[in-house]
């Protein structure tokens, strides 16, 4: 189990240092800012979506390793997903990072399940969920920026 935890930790550090999809998209159909004042994580998400289905997602900004890793993995995961599917995935992800367990977590969340360790650090849950709140708000067309406060 320790080895597994170490592997997970390395994946988080890797995504935190070398985030995927970390760029601006000039052709984005949805742009949304998200801010976690508790930690200082601050991102702008760029989505290309058609009929509620995300065709691509990317982001720019700064934050701690957990928030960046979560945003990086989310940007990979949501490609070709509908808003409803993303909301369902977020429900599962939220359960995992708040409760620390979820039935069939790997099956339901894939790589995202490695962030489950965050449940041991309640103050970091907002770091892990900021990207999700931001992407869902973007798809909902909310006017306001997202703040976890
Ligand atoms: Zn953070």
């Amino acid at each position: 189990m320790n080895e597994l935890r170490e592997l997970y930790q390395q994946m988080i550090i890797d995504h935190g240092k070398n985030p995927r999809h970390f760029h601006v998209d000039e052709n984005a159909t949805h742009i949304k800012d998200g801010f976690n004042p508790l930690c200082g994580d601050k991102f702008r998400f760029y989505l290309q979506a058609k009929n509620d289905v995300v065709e691509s997602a990317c982001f720019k900004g700064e934050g701690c390793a957990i928030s960046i890793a979560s945003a990086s993995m989310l940007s990979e995961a949501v490609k070709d997903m509908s808003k409803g599917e993303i909301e369902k995935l977020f429900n599962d992800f939220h359960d995992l990072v708040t409760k620390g367990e979820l039935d069939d977590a790997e099956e339901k969340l894939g790589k995202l399940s490695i962030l489950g360790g965050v449940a041991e650090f309640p103050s970091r849950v907002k770091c892990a969920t900021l990207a999700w709140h931001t992407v869902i708000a973007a798809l909902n067309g909310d006017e306001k920026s997202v703040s976890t406060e």
Side-chain angles (χ1 to χ4, degrees):
M1 187 61 197
N2 274 340
E3 258 172 58
L4 196 62
R5 283 178 76 128
E6 214 164 284
L7 179 72
Y8 284 180
Q9 211 139 33
Q10 278 170 10
M11 282 175 75
I12 291 172
I13 291 167
D14 175 45
H15 271 271
K17 275 191 183 155
N18 307 298
R20 318 317 190 245
H21 308 277
F22 191 67
H23 56 86
V24 171
D25 181 358
E26 310 241 313
N27 299 314
T29 56
H30 299 67
I31 296 175
K32 179 62 65 185
D33 291 324
F35 180 45
N36 173 17
L38 265 188
C39 180
D41 312 315
K42 203 171 182 183
F43 297 124
R44 174 167 289 173
F45 262 89
Y46 304 84
L47 307 178
Q48 288 188 32
K50 211 183 270 174
N51 303 327
D52 265 359
V53 175
V54 173
E55 294 178 337
S56 71
C58 59
F59 70 106
K60 272 299 248 189
E62 51 193 33
C64 64
I66 289 174
S67 67
I68 292 177
S70 180
S72 171
M73 285 188 248
L74 173 64
S75 299
E76 285 186 334
V78 296
K79 189 171 163 22
D80 298 326
M81 277 191 160
S82 69
K83 191 180 84 162
E85 288 170 329
I86 294 168
E87 282 171 338
K88 192 173 169 296
L89 195 65
F90 179 48
N91 272 338
D92 287 337
F93 182 77
H94 194 264
D95 273 358
L96 181 68
V97 296
T98 51
K99 295 174 191 155
E101 54 181 37
L102 175 75
D103 291 339
D104 308 317
E106 285 205 40
E107 208 169 295
K108 287 176 181 160
L109 293 169
K111 251 200 287 181
L112 293 161
S113 62
I114 70 174
L115 285 161
V118 166
E120 289 174 44
F121 310 98
S123 65
R124 310 314 291 275
V125 169
K126 285 179 177 172
C127 302
T129 55
L130 174 63
W132 291 85
H133 288 299
T134 308
V135 164
I136 289 168
L139 290 170
N140 281 329
D142 293 347
E143 292 284 320
K144 284 200 312 192
S145 293
V146 172
S147 174
T148 54
E149 283 303 278

